[in-house]
């Protein structure tokens, strides 16, 4: 059976991200970050699983997750990404983008870099600005790309105080999420159901490719790229639909999966998140509708398995649930973690 440890954290958790392991390492992730939202004071926190990864007799992790350190965050944490082993990038509902630095010697977090007005609205005929939420961030060291409710795309570098490039009015609707395809190319999703590919090598402000679903323009809230096949991406829509896209093949998705019913009831908080991860990754799950996707097989033509996990509870969400499957040294992990699976083979 899968082991699940739950910890009461007294705050609403919006984002969870595992700290990446060093390239080529055979270790599993042992540290993860969380961001909170809609609290009197919001925090970015760093956690460890158990006693820094002690294992039991079966080779699995034991003990509950422990808070290593945290730091106050102005506004709701809209997105959260690890920039590298020591730095975490947080997107705020105030339009600010902050890079936090972890100091392992004394287990503290500090502000390493900050762009306070990365996203903002301007009034008609007026130079005055009002903050616009930064809705998504993606990192590919040394670059950081952000998108926001203002339809703006920013390209930052961690060692630069100003944006390297900004595409104003990149979209007339809200940009909800962004991911890298290749180093010079990004893909964004918006509130009218479109995917747009942008090439930073081009000087213009027009996307190089637009993909969309026919029919209703259902907002797309999340996107992620296959870890091994850069042309394959997955999106999650407001209607609870997961769409799998091959950006080489036309402008339509190659597969559609109904993940959950998207209708909301009063007093219930509903979020849909998509993450494409290698098959042996651990996963952090919150007590709200979440979707986690794994890639089962990395060779061309291998079966690409999408696994969906859903749960629902009334808002506010105050419990952080850490799912720690039994992973032994021989990688004998074939657990039924999720509700259902669907396989689609890509050429």
């Amino acid at each position: 059976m899968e082991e699940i440890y739950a910890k009461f954290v007294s705050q609403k958790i919006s984002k969870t991200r595992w700290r990446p392991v060093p390239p080529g390492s055979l270790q599993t992730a042992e540290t993860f970050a969380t961001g909170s939202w809609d609290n009197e004071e919001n925090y970015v926190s760093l956690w460890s699983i158990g006693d820094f990864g002690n294992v039991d007799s079966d080779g699995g992790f034991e003990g509950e997750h422990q808070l290593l350190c945290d730091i106050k965050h102005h506004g709701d944490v809209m997105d959260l990404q690890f920039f590298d082993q020591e730095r975490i990038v947080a997107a705020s509902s105030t339009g600010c983008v902050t890079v936090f630095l972890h100091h392992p010697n004394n287990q503290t977090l500090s502000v390493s870099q900050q762009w306070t007005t990365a996203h903002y609205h301007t009034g008609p005929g007026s130079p005055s600005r009002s903050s616009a939420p930064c809705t998504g961030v993606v990192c590919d060291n040394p670059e950081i790309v952000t998108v926001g409710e203002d339809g703006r795309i920013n390209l930052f570098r961690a060692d630069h105080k100003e944006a390297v490039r900004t595409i104003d009015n990149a979209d007339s609707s809200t940009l909800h999420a962004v991911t890298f395809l290749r180093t010079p190319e990004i893909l964004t999703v918006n509130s009218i159901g479109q995917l747009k590919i942008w090439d930073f090598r081009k000087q213009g402000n027009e996307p190089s490719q637009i993909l969309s679903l026919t029919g209703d323009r259902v907002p797309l809230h999340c996107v992620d790229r296959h870890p091994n096949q850069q042309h394959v991406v997955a999106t999650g829509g407001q209607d609870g639909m997961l769409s799998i896209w091959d950006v080489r093949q036309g402008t339509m998705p190659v597969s559609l999966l109904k993940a959950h019913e998207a209708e909301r009831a009063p007093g219930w908080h509903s979020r849909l998140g998509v993450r494409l991860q290698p098959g042996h990754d651990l996963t952090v799950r919150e007590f709200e509708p979440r979707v986690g996707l794994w890639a089962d097989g990395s060779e061309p033509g291998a079966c690409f398995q999408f696994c969906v996990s859903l749960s629902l509870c009334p808002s506010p969400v105050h419990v952080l649930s850490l799912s720690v499957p039994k992973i032994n040294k021989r990688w004998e992990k074939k657990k039924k973690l999720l509700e259902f699976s669907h396989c689609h083979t890509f050429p």
Side-chain angles (χ1 to χ4, degrees):
M1 289 292 292
E2 172 193 1
E3 299 292 334
I4 294 183
Y5 304 96
K7 187 179 184 68
F8 183 80
V9 296
S10 303
Q11 55 183 313
K12 302 176 188 177
I13 302 298
S14 60
K15 296 294 177 181
T16 55
R17 296 287 185 262
W18 283 105
R19 170 183 277 171
V21 296
S25 174
L26 298 179
Q27 296 179 338
T28 55
E30 298 179 358
T31 305
F32 62 96
T34 62
S36 66
W37 73 286
D38 196 31
N39 301 292
E40 291 185 4
E41 292 182 343
N42 290 304
Y43 289 88
V44 170
S45 307
L46 207 59
W47 303 77
S48 171
I49 54 173
D51 296 327
F52 294 93
N54 287 346
V55 296
D56 58 21
S57 58
D58 295 328
F61 292 111
E62 63 180 4
E64 70 171 17
H65 29 300
Q66 303 168 351
L67 178 65
L68 298 179
C69 53
D70 58 19
I71 189 170
K72 288 184 180 179
H73 180 270
H74 184 50
D76 296 341
V77 176
M78 303 292 289
D79 201 1
L80 194 67
Q81 298 290 339
F82 272 94
F83 182 75
D84 53 25
Q85 290 282 306
E86 289 79 31
R87 287 174 288 184
I88 309 167
V89 183
S92 173
S93 59
T94 66
C96 178
V97 179
T98 306
V99 181
F100 295 104
L101 177 63
H102 177 224
H103 305 274
N105 292 335
N106 57 5
Q107 291 299 348
T108 59
L109 287 167
S110 65
V111 175
S112 170
Q113 179 65 279
Q114 193 170 60
W115 299 279
T116 56
T117 57
H119 293 274
Y120 56 88
H121 294 293
T122 55
S126 171
S128 61
R129 296 181 176 183
S130 60
S131 62
C134 176
T135 53
V137 61
V138 65
C139 305
D140 187 8
N141 194 345
E143 297 178 331
I144 300 169
V145 176
T146 69
V147 297
E149 191 178 277
D150 54 355
R152 180 177 287 106
I153 299 173
N154 290 311
L155 172 63
F156 296 106
R157 285 198 173 95
D159 56 349
H160 286 54
K161 292 184 178 180
E162 303 295 333
V164 175
R165 185 176 176 188
T166 295
I167 303 178
D168 289 312
N169 302 315
D171 208 304
S172 59
S173 59
T174 298
L175 292 172
H176 283 144
V178 59
T179 189
F180 273 103
L181 289 181
R182 290 168 288 273
T183 300
E185 291 183 332
I186 62 168
L187 185 145
T188 61
V189 295
N190 64 18
S191 60
I192 58 174
Q194 293 178 325
L195 294 79
K196 295 184 179 182
I197 298 175
W198 306 82
D199 190 339
F200 284 128
R201 293 170 296 189
K202 298 180 179 179
Q203 295 302 314
N205 291 343
E206 297 296 325
S208 58
Q209 188 177 351
I210 300 177
L211 303 89
S212 64
L213 285 168
T214 58
D216 296 335
R217 294 187 172 184
V218 177
L220 297 175
H221 287 285
C222 46
V223 62
D224 205 12
R225 185 198 70 188
H226 188 290
N228 304 112
Q229 301 181 50
Q230 296 177 333
H231 56 278
V232 176
V233 296
T235 61
Q238 185 170 291
D239 58 353
M241 189 72 71
L242 294 178
S243 302
I244 313 305
W245 308 74
D246 185 337
V247 298
R248 305 170 305 175
Q249 300 179 5
T251 60
M252 294 292 294
V254 297
S255 183
L256 295 173
L257 310 172
K258 187 66 175 179
H260 74 105
E261 296 300 326
E263 289 78 7
R264 300 188 183 195
W268 291 76
H269 174 62
S270 177
R271 286 177 180 264
L272 180 66
V274 171
R275 301 291 293 169
L276 298 183
Q277 299 176 346
H280 296 299
D281 256 0
L282 302 176
T283 178
V284 178
R285 294 193 302 218
E286 302 161 36
F287 278 89
E288 60 183 53
R290 301 294 290 180
V291 177
L293 288 83
W294 282 259
D296 187 13
S298 58
E299 296 299 321
C303 179
F304 191 50
Q305 185 174 10
F306 298 91
C307 303
V308 179
S309 174
L310 302 172
S311 58
L312 188 66
C313 81
S315 180
V317 179
H318 283 193
V319 178
L320 175 67
S321 174
L322 176 63
S323 172
V324 185
K326 295 291 185 178
I327 301 180
N328 62 25
K329 298 177 182 178
R330 296 183 301 275
W331 298 104
E332 294 176 354
K333 173 176 160 297
K334 295 292 182 183
K335 296 288 189 278
K336 290 278 187 180
L337 297 181
L338 309 155
E339 305 292 338
F340 66 88
S341 64
H342 170 83
C343 292
H344 186 94
T345 301
F346 293 90

